[in-house]
Amino acid sequence: MRGHGQTPPDPKWPGGAKVAVQFVLNYEEGGENCVLHGDAASEAFLSDIPGAAQWPGQRHWNMESIYEYGARAGFWRLHRLFTRAGIPLTIYGVATALARNPEQVEAMKDAGWEIASHGLKWVEHKDMPEEEERAAIAEAVRLHTEVVGARPRGWYTGRCSQNTVRLAAEEGGFAYVSDTYDDDLPYWLDVDGRDQLIIPYTLEANDMRFATAPGWTDGEDFFNYLRNAFDVLYEEGGTDTPKMMSIGLHCRLVGRPGKIAALKKFIDHIQNFDDVWCPRRIEIAEHWEQTHPPQKGLRPSRMEKAEFVSAFGGIFEHSPWIAERAFDLELGPAHDCAAGVHNVLCRVFRTAGAAERLGVLNAHPDLAGKLAQAGRLTSESTNEQASAGLDMLTDEERETFTKLNTAYVEKHGFPFIIAVRDHTKASIMEAFRRRIDNGGEAELEEACRQVERIARFRLGDLLP
């Protein structure tokens, strides 16, 4: 849920591009469900047949002919469009479809297009046993390499299972995996200790919506959506952070005359801009790996309890029990950051009993007090007090702090607590004089807020 967070990294696209527009052509024709291929039923997915359903044990002649259109006519119409525009494609090629379409494969290679893997067959994987899917990935790579002459460096199943991304990463030979739809930029995913680059794909800037509901009713809907998405991303690339725009295409869908006109209009639109990069997906992967290699750091969601408590037990002063309880909350990758750990620690602190919360307050030292003078503060407190100059007080200032500390504790029953990193020595003194006169309940709430603020600063030193 966290992803790149509030400030995504600058991808530093080549040429200072404000957006990377990446076209994918899914080549599935010949890899779909068909009894001729040994499948139990005909295909029913992504065609112009409304409400199509599988026909068990039978050929669906209309469905087959629609898929054939993609290979016989749609592919070549798209081939002419993109080669004339000088825009290279990434092909998501189903291995069995590639094997049945040698002329199209030759044209892809001659055009310099990337041929990534789209699995062994264009079939559903959600109920496929893990070992069967693992074997299917291996066979897809083997057949793809045999047919194309080089192994695929990218992977996208599409009709995937919960195991697909893990199994593709486990295979070990893919520069990127695209079975996610969760970001506008690539990112690194730790899969059982292996850093796998993920280049998210799209189901919305995708001509599949000509064949699904809600979908496009005509080409102008598709064009308007693509143009609006591009215009927003282009604007963001100039004011915020450049992003990536993926566009998904299918030979049997956008390859039809009434639909491809919209795609041509969109290509004409983006070619009016100089600072747009139209790469193959493998080029995005290579650029990202060089520009933003995987970073190692603390990953709280992966820690054992003892490790978690050791790392964060001192965030709330001398109160490791807060980290111990926080570990038992739901920790996921979204908590692998300062805000994430801060949230779970504060949840424990906020729901603790009154005596426990008071104990946390009393665990804090006096500002510029005897412990500081004796060098007996925690390293965190020492650095914090030094940051506001409290380690270099005049005798008069030290005496003033001593008097205020004594009076404050006598009135409120706990030390004066303030997040000194928000302040200067003068503003700390001003806050001290003002808050000492607060009522008991109001000052207890303020002290607790300051404890949480101190914790946030401390976590910021450890985590992104």
Side-chain angles (χ1 to χ4, degrees):
M1 297 295 185
R2 175 173 174 254
H4 289 300
Q6 186 175 357
T7 54
D10 182 351
K12 298 182 173 61
W13 298 135
K18 293 180 181 177
V19 61
V21 180
Q22 204 288 302
F23 294 89
V24 168
L25 179 59
N26 294 266
Y27 202 88
E28 299 152 355
E29 288 76 10
E32 74 278 9
N33 283 287
C34 181
V35 296
L36 296 179
H37 304 160
D39 298 308
S42 61
E43 186 55 69
F45 191 48
L46 290 188
S47 78
D48 288 321
I49 300 176
Q54 287 192 310
W55 292 5
Q58 298 183 54
R59 295 177 65 183
H60 192 316
W61 190 265
N62 290 349
M63 181 66 72
E64 288 180 25
S65 66
I66 285 174
Y67 269 76
E68 278 195 60
Y69 182 92
R72 295 163 61 113
F75 172 81
W76 297 111
R77 185 170 285 119
L78 287 160
H79 183 269
R80 289 190 292 271
L81 174 62
F82 281 99
T83 54
R84 289 170 181 171
I87 296 176
L89 297 184
T90 287
I91 300 293
Y92 282 166
V94 174
T96 50
L98 297 176
R100 294 185 174 108
N101 291 270
E103 194 172 11
Q104 291 88 338
V105 171
E106 182 179 72
M108 297 170 193
K109 294 172 66 176
D110 288 346
W113 295 351
E114 175 198 4
I115 308 179
S117 183
H118 198 8
L120 179 63
K121 301 178 68 173
W122 180 229
V123 298
E124 191 63 72
H125 290 69
K126 68 181 181 66
D127 298 319
M128 190 177 289
E130 182 174 327
E131 284 306 313
E132 183 180 339
E133 186 174 6
R134 180 180 285 109
I137 291 173
E139 177 59 14
V141 172
R142 186 204 66 77
L143 181 58
H144 183 113
T145 304
E146 180 182 298
V147 170
V148 176
R151 73 153 286 149
R153 297 181 61 197
W155 180 271
Y156 174 72
T157 298
R159 298 161 81 172
C160 66
S161 76
Q162 64 179 355
N163 300 313
T164 298
V165 172
R166 175 173 55 82
L167 293 175
E170 176 190 286
E171 196 274 342
F174 296 113
Y176 68 90
V177 174
S178 288
D179 276 298
T180 68
Y181 312 95
D182 51 4
D183 215 300
D184 298 311
L185 286 173
Y187 62 89
W188 293 97
L189 183 67
D190 184 330
V191 183
D192 296 332
R194 183 183 189 277
D195 291 308
Q196 176 63 62
L197 183 63
I198 304 296
I199 302 183
Y201 187 47
T202 178
L203 296 181
E204 39 85 45
N206 193 311
D207 70 353
M208 67 179 289
R209 294 187 63 183
F210 281 114
T212 59
W216 317 123
T217 58
D218 60 42
E220 286 303 302
D221 293 336
F222 188 39
F223 167 68
N224 287 330
Y225 189 90
L226 294 182
R227 180 188 58 189
N228 289 339
F230 170 83
D231 289 349
V232 168
L233 291 171
Y234 185 85
E235 181 181 1
E236 288 182 0
T239 59
D240 300 308
T241 303
K243 303 294 194 315
M244 175 185 72
M245 179 180 180
S246 295
I247 299 171
L249 307 171
H250 298 76
C251 302
R252 63 192 176 277
L253 296 177
V254 80
R256 296 280 182 173
K259 299 169 184 172
I260 201 170
L263 182 59
K264 185 179 184 303
K265 285 178 65 175
F266 176 71
I267 290 173
D268 290 341
H269 177 65
I270 67 174
Q271 289 191 324
N272 290 320
F273 301 83
D274 294 328
D275 40 5
V276 175
W277 184 38
C278 292
R280 303 172 303 166
R281 249 166 142 71
I282 189 61
E283 291 164 331
I284 291 177
E286 291 170 344
H287 175 81
W288 197 267
E289 183 172 14
Q290 181 179 2
T291 309
H292 296 288
Q295 301 295 314
K296 298 297 184 182
L298 291 178
R299 293 183 177 178
S301 66
R302 298 288 187 92
M303 291 179 173
E304 298 294 334
K305 187 168 188 175
E307 184 184 5
F308 185 88
V309 175
S310 175
F312 307 114
I315 297 300
F316 279 72
E317 194 86 1
H318 296 298
S319 303
W321 59 269
I322 292 180
E324 290 173 358
R325 295 182 195 175
F327 181 84
D328 295 327
L329 298 175
E330 182 184 271
L331 296 179
H335 294 92
D336 291 342
C337 58
V341 176
H342 186 250
N343 183 268
V344 292
L345 295 178
C346 288
R347 286 171 60 189
V348 172
F349 178 61
R350 293 165 189 165
T351 56
E356 290 178 314
R357 285 160 60 84
L358 184 60
V360 173
L361 301 185
N362 279 311
H364 283 72
D366 290 333
L367 287 183
K370 293 180 180 179
L371 291 179
Q373 296 172 40
R376 293 171 55 194
L377 298 181
T378 63
S379 59
E380 293 86 355
S381 291
T382 298
N383 293 333
E384 287 158 0
Q385 295 203 22
S387 70
L390 299 185
D391 60 336
M392 300 181 65
L393 299 177
T394 65
D395 290 342
E396 181 180 353
E397 288 171 334
R398 185 172 292 106
E399 183 179 353
T400 300
F401 269 107
T402 299
K403 290 180 179 178
L404 288 171
N405 280 327
T406 300
Y408 184 95
V409 172
E410 287 179 352
K411 178 175 182 180
H412 296 293
F414 50 84
F416 176 76
I417 301 171
I418 193 168
V420 296
R421 293 201 218 181
D422 283 327
H423 293 275
T424 63
K425 183 166 58 178
S427 67
I428 291 171
M429 186 70 76
E430 188 278 329
F432 212 152
R433 295 183 187 280
R434 170 176 48 80
R435 284 174 49 191
I436 200 169
D437 293 327
N438 282 346
E441 190 63 30
E443 188 55 22
L444 178 65
E445 291 180 3
E446 180 61 30
C448 289
R449 281 193 293 270
Q450 293 298 319
V451 166
E452 293 186 9
R453 180 68 172 160
I454 292 168
R456 183 61 179 82
F457 277 122
R458 291 179 177 181
L459 286 166
D461 295 335
L462 299 176
L463 292 164

